[in-house]
Amino acid sequence: MSGIRVKYDTEFKKNAVKLSYASPKSVKQVAQDLGLHEDRLYAWRKKYTANGDRTRYATLEEEIKVLRLQLAESRIEADMLKKATAYFANLHK
């Protein structure tokens, strides 16, 4: 493994997915023609339709990411409030 990671732009991903649906070739062959592993192309097919629109899966995945971030922030805030409460409770003893 070379360790070099290639980042593909959104347009390339959408076009690759469109091609994989439109081509009579297998997904594996389309991926090879594009220099990709077929698993990567299948992952992109989960995110984009044959028209290049975002799928329901991609929308939900994005919402989950936002909610996880909000949950992490809430946990940090709750922890800070617990520590502040304990600190001020010890001041008044």
Side-chain angles (χ1 to χ4, degrees):
M1 189 165 177
S2 64
I4 297 173
R5 190 166 195 171
V6 179
K7 185 164 173 83
Y8 298 96
D9 68 344
T10 305
E11 283 305 310
F12 180 84
K13 293 175 187 179
K14 287 179 181 181
N15 288 331
V17 170
K18 287 179 187 178
L19 180 63
S20 73
Y21 281 111
S23 176
K25 297 179 183 179
S26 68
V27 173
K28 183 175 184 175
Q29 185 59 48
V30 171
Q32 286 176 346
D33 291 347
L34 294 172
L36 304 170
H37 192 276
E38 69 180 296
D39 292 344
R40 181 170 295 204
L41 186 52
Y42 276 118
W44 293 347
R45 284 172 63 133
K46 284 184 181 179
K47 293 183 179 187
Y48 301 105
T49 65
N51 298 330
D53 301 324
R54 292 176 59 86
T55 63
R56 179 80 176 131
Y57 172 83
T59 305
L60 291 174
E61 190 177 59
E62 189 174 296
E63 287 177 22
I64 289 170
K65 187 177 180 179
V66 169
L67 291 172
R68 284 185 176 154
L69 179 60
Q70 289 175 348
L71 177 60
E73 290 172 350
S74 295
R75 286 180 174 164
I76 291 169
E77 289 174 8
D79 188 44
M80 288 173 56
L81 289 172
K82 286 179 189 176
K83 289 178 182 179
T85 303
Y87 174 76
F88 286 112
N90 286 335
L91 282 180
H92 295 292
K93 284 187 177 181

